[in-house]
Amino acid sequence: MNPLFARLPTSIFARMSMLAAEHDAINLGQGFPDFGWPDDVVAKAAEALTQGSNQYAPMRGLPELRQAVASHYRQHQSIDVHHDWVTVTSGATEALAAAITALVTPGDEVLLLQPLYDAYLPLVLRAGGVPRLIRLEPPSWRITADVLDEAFAGAPRLLIFNNPHNPTARVFDEGEQRLLADRCVRHDCVLLTDEVWEHVVFEGARHRPMSALPGMAGRSVKVGSAGKIFSLTGWKVGWIVAPPELGGPISKAHQYLAYATPPNLQAAVAYGLTKDESYFAAMRADFAKARDVLSARLTEADFVPLTSEGTYFLSIDLTASGIAVDDVTFCERAVREAGVAAIPVSSFYAEDPVTSVVRLCFAKEPETLALGVDRMRAAKALFSS
Ligand code: PMP
Ligand code: GLN
């Protein structure tokens, strides 16, 4: 048995969803919408299921989906992607596993920014990578030149970056992105750029892919996921976009992890990616509305929310909200005693955690949000003397 995996805790998302079910709680923890999905995309999948193939899809993905991903990025992000650069994976999670497996050689230094999405670190360690953690702090969660220069001193092979960022809900600004790109180019470092939240950005912002920055197209491995683009988190259809020198080995790893992804779901995602801008604009507007509802209700209930620029998430600052316990204690009691599940942000740190921030998912019907905040109020009352 590999002791690394034997020691790992169950993912915080699985654990909180399980506790929410056990305690009949409102689940504002794991990130998934409770208000449906685009019916036409699901109808396409149903049609493909009954009328298309149910046998193995091509290892690197259905040609129509690889084409659709390439033209989607050309249209929405103005990047020139060839369909040969696309490999379809079983969710972004498998894309990350394949990329880290293929790109990291034992002893390679790998830079990661904390708070970090839970899958990154165990995969880096299993590949024999030596992690170097860059710590971001609330409320600004900013990336600075000083911190980066210190981190790059050890000649890293790979940097793993997530933007828009889970759990902080930051959309890193162009200056921060340029700093990262500049250091990657200068130190000949490959960038694994997890952009699964690329369409969920607010205030009229447009997603800036890292591969569009000078010198980055040839050294970026971009990860995407249909789960977030179409509110279909259960489908697990993702992809990587990478130049052949990087994408080739990654697809070799993919062939031994999943080999291929269900063809019917791929066909439906290929259809969905051709939707016009109005679909994506309406989706963003709906999520922004839900975020504002949650933020306003939390403020009314005397919580102090942090800014949310993208993703499905909004966090609260416990200390500023007058709650003098750590995030894990708050979340454990909130789900068991007040009937609301949330995610402690310290679980996204491997060392030196920030313990005063709790993440909430706002991708819910207004009634769910209202009930959730009533219960957050009850959770807060558990800690007032
Ligand atoms: N990366 C990030 C930053 C995520 O937030 C998620 C899930 N929300 C994933 C990867 C995994 O995506 P998928 O469900 O497509 O595997
Ligand atoms: N990405 C989702 C979140 O942050 C959860 C994904 C998962 O459950 N593995 O909530």
Side-chain angles (χ1 to χ4, degrees), residues 2-84:
N2 184 310
L4 166 66
F5 281 79
R7 268 201 313 269
L8 283 176
T10 299
S11 115
I12 189 69
F13 312 117
R15 195 176 132 63
M16 277 300 165
S17 282
M18 192 191 70
L19 283 172
E22 233 170 69
H23 294 276
D24 203 16
I26 300 291
N27 190 354
L28 304 182
Q30 193 175 32
F32 61 90
D34 76 347
F35 41 66
W37 38 69
D39 289 335
D40 56 342
V41 175
V42 173
K44 276 280 171 205
E47 185 188 308
L49 192 68
T50 53
Q51 285 159 48
S53 169
N54 285 291
Q55 308 306 339
Y56 294 123
M59 188 271 281
R60 294 193 65 181
L62 287 191
E64 71 219 64
L65 179 52
R66 298 177 75 197
Q67 291 276 5
V69 169
S71 41
H72 184 83
Y73 285 144
R74 243 176 267 131
Q75 184 193 336
H76 291 268
Q77 296 175 11
S78 307
I79 45 177
D80 191 18
V81 174
H82 191 272
H83 59 85
D84 271 351

Side-chain angles (χ1 to χ4, degrees), residues 11 13-14 29-31 117-118 166 197 228 236 313 348 359:
S11 115
F13 312 117
Q30 193 175 32
Y117 187 63
D118 67 344
N166 180 8
W197 297 102
K228 308 299 175 316
K236 303 297 281 189
F313 308 117
F348 294 78
R359 191 196 81 175

Side-chain angles (χ1 to χ4, degrees), residues 71-324:
S71 41
H72 184 83
Y73 285 144
R74 243 176 267 131
Q75 184 193 336
H76 291 268
Q77 296 175 11
S78 307
I79 45 177
D80 191 18
V81 174
H82 191 272
H83 59 85
D84 271 351
W85 287 31
V86 179
T87 300
V88 177
T89 59
S90 292
T93 306
E94 199 237 328
L96 292 164
I100 292 168
T101 301
L103 298 176
V104 177
T105 303
D108 282 352
E109 198 165 293
V110 180
L111 295 184
L112 301 132
L113 289 99
Q114 298 192 102
L116 43 82
Y117 187 63
D118 67 344
Y120 303 156
L121 190 58
L123 292 167
V124 167
L125 292 172
R126 187 65 187 91
V130 180
R132 187 164 181 145
L133 301 166
I134 300 171
R135 187 173 185 273
L136 304 183
E137 289 175 12
S140 73
W141 310 106
R142 273 200 85 73
I143 301 171
T144 63
D146 286 351
V147 168
L148 279 190
D149 286 337
E150 197 187 319
F152 270 91
R157 282 287 306 129
L158 182 72
L159 166 64
I160 305 180
F161 179 52
N162 168 220
N163 188 40
H165 189 258
N166 180 8
T168 65
R170 272 219 66 201
V171 173
F172 293 102
D173 68 27
E174 193 173 346
E176 291 165 294
Q177 288 185 283
R178 282 187 181 277
L179 275 180
L180 282 171
D182 173 75
R183 298 311 186 272
C184 286
V185 171
R186 222 194 286 168
H187 297 270
D188 194 20
C189 180
V190 171
L191 180 74
L192 177 54
T193 174
D194 178 344
E195 301 183 7
V196 299
W197 297 102
E198 56 203 344
H199 274 296
V200 193
V201 293
F202 310 127
E203 270 77 57
R206 299 299 300 196
H207 177 67
R208 275 182 307 270
M210 284 302 293
S211 58
L213 291 167
M216 293 308 290
R219 63 176 69 254
S220 298
V221 175
K222 173 175 164 85
V223 173
S225 173
K228 308 299 175 316
I229 301 181
F230 301 111
S231 303
L232 292 163
T233 61
W235 277 22
K236 303 297 281 189
V237 177
W239 50 81
I240 61 138
V241 178
E245 320 80 81
L246 300 171
I250 295 171
S251 70
K252 301 288 169 50
H254 157 72
Q255 74 185 345
Y256 296 129
L257 287 170
Y259 182 77
T261 298
N264 353 75
L265 302 183
Q266 289 194 54
V269 171
Y271 158 83
L273 288 175
T274 64
K275 279 176 172 295
D276 64 33
E277 178 54 29
S278 59
Y279 165 77
F280 299 97
M283 176 190 76
R284 279 192 280 274
D286 286 348
F287 282 125
K289 208 187 305 163
R291 174 201 60 174
D292 293 344
V293 167
L294 180 61
S295 181
R297 285 190 176 272
L298 284 168
T299 307
E300 268 167 40
D302 283 334
F303 284 96
V304 175
L306 299 178
T307 309
S308 165
E309 300 166 322
T311 75
Y312 295 161
F313 308 117
L314 176 77
S315 290
I316 50 165
D317 182 326
L318 291 179
T319 315
S321 305
I323 302 169

